[in-house]
Amino acid sequence: MSILKKNLFSLAIMLLIALTAKSQSTGNYTKFVNTFIGTAPLTDPKILGYELPKGWRSWAGLTFPGSSLPNAMVQLSPMTEYGSGAGYEYEDSVIYGFTHTNKGHWNLCNIPILPMSNPGAKFGSRFSHKNESAAPGYYQVYLDDYQVNVRLTSTLRAGYHQYEFKNKADRHILFDMGKANSRVSTWTIEQDGSNAIKGFQGGENVYFYAILNTKIDKLDKTEEGKRSGYAIAHLANGNNGPVELKIGLSFVSTANAKENLLKEIGNKTFNEIRKEATQKWETILSSIQVKGGTAKQKVMLYSCLYRSFLWPALRSDVSGEYTDANRQVVKSDFRYYTEPSLWDTYRNKDVLLGLISPDVTLDVIKSMKDVGDKKGFIPTFFHGDHGSSSIAGAYLRGIDKFDIKATYQILLKNANTPGGARPHVEEYIKKGFISEPDIKNPQVETKASAGVSKTLEYSYDDYSVAQIAKNLGDTANYKILMARSKNYKNMFDPSTRFMRGKLADGSWIKPFNPQFPYYEYMYREANAWQVSFYAPHDMKGLIELYGGAKGFESKLDSLFTVPWNPNYIARNVETMIGQYCHGNQPDHEAPFAYHFIGKPEKSQKVLDNILNNLYGIGDDGLALCGMDDAGEMSSWYVFSALGLYPFSATDAEYLVTVPLFDEVKWRSNNGKYITISKPGKGRDMTNIKVNGKDIKGYFVSHDLFKNGGKMEIVTK
């Protein structure tokens, strides 16, 4: 780092510390949030585990810096590269538009809009990070080539653009309708009166209605409906103030998009909408208040808390209408949301959402049941059947104002019916495991069953559904599902002490290399090391497979110390501590596993390494150690930094670790407060006190959130 860069970095930290002190005194938590975290690439091979092949960008972060409200329909953000994870990559220098939906999963990024002055043959403008800023609910950038200052803010279903053109006589707005990260199947656009434009973008099937504060001379369309097509609105001269474009979205109709816009923005000013957005984020962020810790730790905590509340996304309109799983327009008395990114977020993020925004969690569950009613199965995401854990966990934590009996019946169908939510479930039920075909020389991208991962995950999912069965008094299914929850043991090979793939006849797959990562063969985006410590519902049983505490500890030690082979390259299996991969989800429970053999200090050493070194990486502190995955990576940080982790997300209890902060004050959703204090400076936990009394073990009940209380972490 150059002397100049070091001085600038030191100055930034000093300003941050001053800002921190001011924010704590005023309660302004949005100032802690850096929405650019996760937009920069991770390039250090020592952290990644391998040298990036030429032309590769690591999957670290894949976040967006634009404006959004919590769990909103609209995410209004700059676009620097189509086909990238979230549309914005920090190292880029050209902005191609501002899109209105986002997630960070190579999809969405709908309705790109770009203000232009004297446009050339190619659309897009250079920009500099020096002339760019962002905060929750706000984004600003200066477009150098068009000499336009852009400011963006948003509501739940509408975006608010403000453009200050230097050239008042040559103003255009590009609607780049053929482009999105999702494949655009068709599009339409038309002028509606003197100052409004409406349209539709097929693929994600998004409708919009936009109103400008200046007249439109004409709307030119090029190759309408094609992916190579676009439209340009030529603005009339005369209005020399900032051009304002207010745009409503809907997944139902342009009429609904207009209604969303008028109801949520109407005649409000840009600053009024921005202030409302800030206040909504303050409500979320102020749920957690901390004392102590470093400036970086505070920024990372609140930035991660912010990231944890961007998905799932709202899909129903102010009227209550939405387009359901059967592509029918229906109306309901609950807000309809996309399903969570369940393979990732069931572990922690869905729990965090329920603790802070239980009303959203309730409607997410109702939305998932709505899909189940119409498609026959509760939706899954990518792999596993983890809607069972998210729904069971929320229900057992007291979010129960939904039809649990009917929802449970669909979850039973998920767990038992071939051809539905669980691939290979027939073999799983019959044999107690899912096999693989005998493939010679399998490679990273070999397509197969991911049978080990599925067996382990279905075992946990069975346990999750069993807890609902128990609560509802369905003893027969409880016994069946609990017996099946032990199926993970069928994948354990005592000769190698790994979870290992099997052929259809039950024999172990040969040859066997526990270090080689696969996308779908035996394991899902993992190797044998990374899945062999997964049984969050039955750690006692898992430890017994390793011959008891000593054998388990020895194997767990090796997970974090056996060097990663830099020749084993799988793009999203990255960021290694030995064989442990924090850059992807499958082994995110492993660092906590030492607690189950009475060695929490060993867990804490690993946790502190991750918290302090794998979040906020690089000179600018903007890289993450892996893809944020709709908030899972961020939620892992939030829970771990605060000292409470939902080790088994289904169960209404939390594993206690040592927080990064001297004091944590957590406002429960019922208004009660939990205070977690760590009076000592040590990082090795020796005792846990709840309301002044010593507790046995390392878990605290969810009752702490229901009733409030004080917890003290004693360390040495």
Side-chain angles (χ1 to χ4, degrees):
M1 195 187 297
S2 67
I3 293 174
L4 176 61
K5 205 163 190 178
K6 282 183 177 178
N7 290 337
L8 289 172
F9 188 72
S10 299
L11 179 61
I13 290 295
M14 289 172 64
L15 289 171
L16 190 56
I17 291 170
L19 199 63
T20 295
K22 181 181 178 183
S23 295
Q24 282 187 316
S25 62
T26 62
N28 191 337
Y29 295 93
T30 53
K31 289 186 178 180
F32 290 123
V33 176
N34 185 341
T35 64
F36 291 100
I37 290 174
T39 64
L42 178 60
T43 58
D44 188 343
K46 293 179 181 178
I47 298 175
L48 281 167
Y50 57 84
E51 290 275 358
L52 281 166
K54 188 177 180 180
W56 273 34
R57 187 186 196 268
S58 69
W59 281 7
L62 303 187
T63 60
F64 62 92
S67 175
S68 179
L69 291 191
N71 302 106
M73 181 183 292
V74 166
Q75 297 89 28
L76 180 47
S77 191
M79 199 78 181
T80 67
E81 185 172 349
Y82 289 98
S84 63
Y88 180 95
E89 297 184 342
Y90 195 77
E91 66 272 27
D92 292 341
S93 58
V94 174
I95 287 175
Y96 296 104
F98 302 97
T99 61
H100 295 78
T101 61
N102 211 306
K103 182 186 180 185
H105 273 70
W106 298 276
N107 54 10
L108 301 175
C109 296
N110 297 106
I111 321 294
I113 292 177
L114 181 70
M116 304 184 299
S117 182
N118 190 27
K122 293 184 178 180
F123 304 129
S125 171
R126 291 169 294 174
F127 75 104
S128 167
H129 295 307
K130 294 178 182 178
N131 297 317
E132 183 185 38
S133 61
Y138 177 74
Y139 175 82
Q140 172 275 327
V141 70
Y142 186 77
L143 301 178
D144 294 334
D145 292 329
Y146 299 137
Q147 297 183 302
V148 181
N149 189 55
V150 177
R151 300 171 74 218
L152 309 173
T153 188
S154 58
T155 65
L156 285 174
R157 303 172 179 88
Y160 201 141
H161 301 232
Q162 188 180 82
Y163 310 138
E164 193 167 351
F165 286 82
K166 186 174 182 179
N167 185 348
K168 309 296 184 183
D170 183 45
R171 301 175 302 178
H172 315 273
I173 297 177
L174 170 71
F175 290 78
D176 209 356
M177 298 296 294
K179 291 188 174 63
N181 265 7
S182 299
R183 183 182 176 88
V184 177
S185 57
T186 186
W187 60 270
T188 61
I189 193 169
E190 61 181 296
Q191 191 170 333
D192 189 37
S194 63
N195 67 331
I197 292 172
K198 62 183 180 180
F200 167 78
Q201 192 177 55
E204 295 290 342
N205 296 332
V206 188
Y207 299 85
F208 74 91
Y209 193 93
I211 299 175
L212 287 96
N213 67 341
T214 190
K215 288 185 178 181
I216 302 165
D217 269 349
K218 61 178 178 176
L219 179 68
D220 283 337
K221 303 181 215 179
T222 300
E223 297 187 73
E224 185 169 10
K226 296 182 179 180
R227 287 196 295 277
S228 55
Y230 56 88
I232 297 178
H234 302 268
L235 305 186
N237 294 330
N239 178 3
N240 292 327
V243 172
E244 294 190 335
L245 183 150
K246 304 173 182 179
I247 179 170
L249 260 58
S250 169
F251 288 79
V252 173
S253 66
T254 53
N256 279 21
K258 182 178 182 180
E259 184 182 19
N260 290 341
L261 171 60
L262 296 177
K263 290 283 179 66
E264 292 188 354
I265 294 182
N267 294 320
K268 292 179 181 177
T269 66
F270 183 94
N271 287 338
E272 285 175 328
I273 295 300
R274 183 186 174 187
K275 186 177 179 180
E276 289 178 7
T278 300
Q279 190 52 53
K280 286 179 181 177
W281 278 114
E282 286 293 336
T283 300
I284 294 284
L285 298 172
S286 65
S287 297
I288 295 170
Q289 302 168 22
V290 298
K291 293 179 181 178
T294 66
K296 177 183 176 180
Q297 287 169 341
K298 289 187 179 75
V299 167
M300 199 57 59
L301 172 68
Y302 288 103
S303 298
C304 285
L305 185 59
Y306 163 79
R307 287 266 164 237
S308 300
F309 284 82
L310 294 174
W311 196 265
L314 183 65
R315 285 295 179 263
S316 56
D317 297 324
V318 292
S319 64
E321 289 185 326
Y322 60 92
T323 300
D324 70 7
N326 288 332
R327 299 277 185 175
Q328 299 298 309
V329 175
V330 296
K331 189 173 183 177
S332 73
D333 58 357
F334 64 89
R335 295 163 299 181
Y336 189 73
Y337 288 91
T338 60
E339 72 257 25
S341 296
L342 291 164
W343 191 58
D344 315 305
T345 62
Y346 83 94
R347 302 169 190 274
N348 47 44
K349 192 235 155 154
D350 297 352
V351 177
L352 185 61
L353 182 67
L355 291 175
I356 294 178
S357 299
D359 56 323
V360 175
T361 293
L362 179 63
D363 284 346
V364 169
I365 292 171
K366 289 181 178 180
S367 301
M368 292 168 71
K369 179 184 177 293
D370 189 76
V371 175
D373 287 338
K374 289 160 183 176
K375 290 296 185 181
F377 299 94
I378 295 289
T380 58
F381 178 84
F382 190 68
H383 206 255
D385 182 24
H386 301 317
S388 55
S389 175
S390 290
I391 293 171
Y395 176 65
L396 296 174
R397 288 177 175 86
I399 300 175
D400 56 6
K401 291 181 172 58
F402 63 98
D403 190 341
I404 182 60
K405 291 183 179 179
T407 305
Y408 167 62
Q409 289 301 318
I410 307 175
L411 287 173
L412 278 178
K413 189 177 178 185
N414 273 32
N416 293 301
T417 306
R422 296 192 188 185
H424 309 288
V425 73
E426 193 169 15
E427 182 183 29
Y428 170 81
I429 293 171
K430 182 180 179 181
K431 297 179 179 178
F433 68 89
I434 295 170
S435 67
E436 298 289 344
D438 192 1
I439 299 175
K440 292 182 179 180
N441 193 30
Q443 301 299 309
V444 168
E445 298 190 24
T446 294
K447 303 288 185 184
S449 303
V452 178
S453 292
K454 280 189 174 67
T455 301
L456 269 55
E457 292 180 20
Y458 290 174
S459 297
Y460 180 67
D461 298 330
D462 284 340
Y463 170 83
S464 301
V465 182
Q467 304 317 298
I468 303 177
K470 181 181 180 181
N471 198 277
L472 296 179
D474 185 355
T475 305
N477 274 309
Y478 173 75
K479 289 180 178 178
I480 292 169
L481 290 165
M482 283 302 290
R484 279 168 42 178
S485 76
K486 308 294 185 182
N487 281 348
Y488 74 91
K489 295 182 179 182
N490 296 330
M491 306 284 18
F492 187 78
D493 172 17
S495 69
T496 61
R497 299 166 77 234
F498 284 107
M499 299 291 177
R500 181 176 176 180
K502 286 182 175 179
L503 300 175
D505 64 4
S507 60
W508 299 114
I509 289 176
K510 297 177 183 178
F512 175 64
N513 181 352
Q515 293 191 27
F516 194 82
Y518 297 101
Y519 285 155
E520 288 185 62
Y521 187 66
M522 294 193 286
Y523 314 106
R524 195 61 169 106
E525 297 186 4
N527 66 12
W529 279 103
Q530 291 149 13
V531 305
S532 290
F533 301 92
Y534 180 87
H537 59 299
D538 187 25
M539 289 301 289
K540 181 181 177 181
L542 180 67
I543 291 167
E544 288 173 354
L545 292 179
Y546 287 94
K550 285 187 178 180
F552 183 77
E553 181 179 6
S554 172
K555 194 72 170 181
L556 193 56
D557 286 345
S558 297
L559 171 69
F560 298 108
T561 56
V562 172
W564 181 259
N565 186 332
N567 294 317
Y568 294 165
I569 300 175
R571 190 188 287 264
N572 55 337
V573 182
E574 58 192 23
T575 308
M576 305 301 171
I577 303 174
Q579 293 293 309
Y580 172 76
C581 170
H582 197 70
N584 207 17
Q585 282 67 34
D587 54 356
H588 271 191
E589 288 78 17
F592 303 94
Y594 287 108
H595 280 66
F596 295 90
I597 54 172
K599 299 278 183 82
E601 69 279 1
K602 296 186 81 168
S603 277
Q604 198 61 53
K605 187 176 180 180
V606 178
L607 294 172
D608 286 350
N609 182 13
I610 297 168
L611 290 167
N612 293 323
N613 299 316
L614 298 185
Y615 287 77
I617 307 167
D619 288 344
D620 298 316
L622 298 181
L624 294 176
C625 64
M627 180 180 171
D628 194 47
D629 274 311
E632 189 279 342
M633 192 75 72
S634 291
S635 297
W636 190 100
Y637 184 98
V638 170
F639 276 119
S640 300
L642 299 180
L644 294 174
Y645 192 81
F647 185 81
S648 169
T650 295
D651 296 305
E653 61 182 11
Y654 308 89
L655 185 68
V656 179
T657 62
V658 181
L660 290 179
F661 306 96
D662 299 333
E663 182 181 276
V664 174
K665 206 168 187 179
W666 190 318
R667 184 180 68 243
S668 182
N669 56 57
N670 61 8
K672 301 288 180 68
Y673 278 89
I674 301 163
T675 302
I676 305 169
S677 61
K678 183 185 70 68
K681 296 297 181 184
R683 300 299 297 165
D684 292 351
M685 183 168 61
T686 59
N687 197 18
I688 304 166
K689 294 183 178 182
V690 176
N691 296 325
K693 296 181 180 179
D694 295 344
I695 67 166
K696 293 181 179 180
Y698 304 104
F699 281 90
V700 292
S701 167
H702 181 68
D703 289 343
L704 193 64
F705 282 93
K706 288 182 180 178
N707 305 324
K710 295 183 178 181
M711 186 167 73
E712 182 179 327
I713 312 297
V714 182
T715 62
K716 66 177 182 180

